[in-house]
């Protein structure tokens, strides 16, 4: 399998010396934000990680190789090249064998991180069960159930069916732990009505839960929900009508599959006059900060 992987010198050195590493996905760069906000954000996130004494491992596919850690030119390519594809786990063989480049989704990044032994991964929001179709389930949830990686997120994306998403995670025995919250955050919004089964208020408690989970022989990941900072959150009564409109428009235009999330995020950003983009950037910075602290603590 290692023939498909290529490590940055920084990541290779960290692995050889058992230094802390934080995985990050790349569809937020390739498909989640417009240029140049995506590139600026990616560089800022990597700096946050390094400032915490941790090595950033942004994961992507570049010219048919799974890259664990990206150079500045590779970040620029992902951010600006309109031909960069979007790769979930199912797409990896196709993308690699054809020599394409792609941003990796949460699902694909989870798979790759687990294969190279990275235990902590920070992202914006995870996918889940889509509104209006309980059979439309993100591969992110399946990979959370399959791979022993701690994932920090701002909850499931607000465009999803949140209670169904929580039920799915429960069915597949994925622990969902609220960090300084006892309810599920919803990406743009710091709180919802949906109670979480576990809550902690410090990183050392997170470390104990994650270690105990894996010491019991559990093979799933652990999902840590970290609310968007309150000062950057968009109230539910403001964002919900916007999301409902975007979902309805997607249905009218028959937007499905991997195209739906970028479509909805773009629609929401336009309707909120860029406020949702600001919230997105704030929450991913917040998640990467917590992810770096967790990686440094050595789960």
């Amino acid at each position: 399998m290692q023939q498909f992987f290529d490590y940055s010198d920084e990541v290779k050195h960290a692995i050889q010396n058992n230094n802390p590493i934080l995985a990050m996905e790349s569809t937020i760069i390739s498909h989640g934000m417009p240029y140049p906000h995506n590139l600026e954000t990616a560089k800022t996130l990597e700096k946050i990680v390094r400032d915490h004494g941790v090595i950033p491992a942004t994961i992507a596919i570049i010219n048919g190789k799974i890259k664990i850690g990206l150079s500045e030119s590779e970040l620029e390519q992902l951010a600006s090249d309109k031909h960069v594809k979007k790769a979930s786990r199912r797409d990896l063989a196709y993308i690699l064998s054809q020599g394409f480049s792609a941003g990796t989704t949460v699902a694909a990044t989870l798979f790759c991180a687990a294969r190279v032994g990275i235990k902590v991964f920070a992202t914006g929001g995870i996918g889940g069960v889509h509104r209006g179709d309980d059979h439309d389930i993100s591969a992110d949830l399946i990979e959370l159930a399959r791979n022993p990686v701690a994932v920090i997120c701002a909850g499931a994306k607000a465009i999803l069916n949140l209670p169904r998403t929580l039920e799915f995670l429960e069915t597949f025995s994925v622990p969902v732990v609220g960090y300084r919250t006892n309810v599920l955050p919803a990406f743009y919004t710091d709180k919802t009505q949906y109670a979480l089964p576990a809550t902690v208020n410090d990183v050392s408690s997170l470390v104990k839960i994650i270690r105990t989970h894996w010491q019991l022989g559990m093979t799933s990941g652990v999902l840590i929900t970290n609310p968007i900072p309150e000062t950057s959150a968009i109230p539910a009564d403001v964002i919900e009508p916007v999301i409902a409109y975007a979902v309805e428009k997607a249905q009218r235009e028959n937007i499905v599959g991997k195209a739906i999330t970028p479509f909805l995020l773009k629609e929401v950003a336009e309707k909120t006059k860029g406020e949702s983009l600001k919230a997105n950037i704030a929450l991913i910075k917040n998640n990467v900060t917590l992810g770096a602290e967790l990686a440094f603590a050595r789960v």
Side-chain angles (χ1 to χ4, degrees), residues 63-79:
N63 302 326
K65 281 283 188 180
I66 298 171
K67 296 280 187 171
I68 310 295
L70 301 179
S71 66
E72 284 201 19
S73 63
E74 288 165 343
L75 283 174
E76 174 75 41
Q77 179 183 346
L78 278 177

Side-chain angles (χ1 to χ4, degrees), residues 30-89:
S30 60
H31 294 80
M33 294 181 186
Y35 185 85
H37 299 285
N38 52 357
L39 181 60
E40 293 165 358
T41 301
K43 289 179 177 180
T44 299
L45 297 180
E46 294 210 341
K47 183 179 186 304
I48 289 170
V49 177
R50 291 189 182 97
D51 287 348
H52 282 79
V54 176
I55 300 304
T58 302
I59 296 175
I61 301 172
I62 304 292
N63 302 326
K65 281 283 188 180
I66 298 171
K67 296 280 187 171
I68 310 295
L70 301 179
S71 66
E72 284 201 19
S73 63
E74 288 165 343
L75 283 174
E76 174 75 41
Q77 179 183 346
L78 278 177
S80 61
D81 186 350
K82 301 290 188 185
H83 297 100
V84 167
K85 299 184 182 298
K86 181 181 179 183
S88 188
R89 173 174 166 159

Side-chain angles (χ1 to χ4, degrees), residues 133-286:
D133 185 357
D134 288 354
H135 296 290
D136 187 355
I137 300 168
S138 170
D140 295 357
L141 302 185
I142 306 296
E143 294 308 309
L144 271 165
R146 286 175 170 167
N147 295 289
V149 176
V151 179
I152 297 95
C153 69
K157 293 185 176 75
I159 56 180
L160 301 169
N161 185 324
L162 300 181
R164 290 284 185 268
T165 298
L166 281 176
E167 287 173 10
F168 188 99
L169 291 166
E170 178 186 5
T171 299
F172 283 83
S173 300
V174 176
V176 182
V177 183
Y179 185 71
R180 298 177 179 171
T181 180
N182 58 8
V183 294
L184 181 71
F187 201 63
Y188 303 121
T189 306
D190 58 342
K191 59 177 69 72
T192 67
Q193 61 184 304
Y194 308 113
L196 292 174
T199 302
V200 298
N201 292 313
D202 54 76
V203 171
S204 62
S205 296
L206 279 179
V207 171
K208 288 178 183 177
I209 291 173
I210 294 164
R211 285 179 180 168
T212 302
H213 180 69
W214 291 332
Q215 286 167 357
L216 286 168
M218 304 290 188
T219 56
S220 77
V222 177
L223 185 65
I224 299 142
T225 61
N226 183 36
I228 182 173
E230 189 175 358
T231 53
S232 300
I234 302 176
D237 60 350
V238 173
I239 198 69
E240 268 299 317
V242 175
I243 292 170
Y245 169 84
V247 169
E248 184 183 347
K249 185 174 180 180
Q251 291 170 342
R252 285 199 314 268
E253 297 186 12
N254 199 30
I255 308 293
V256 296
K258 65 173 67 177
I260 192 160
T261 298
F263 175 86
L264 293 175
L265 291 175
K266 182 174 180 291
E267 285 293 317
V268 171
E270 289 177 358
K271 285 290 180 183
T272 60
K273 295 184 169 66
E275 288 303 307
S276 65
L277 176 60
K278 292 178 186 176
N280 197 353
I281 292 170
L283 69 86
I284 186 61
K285 287 180 181 178
N286 193 46

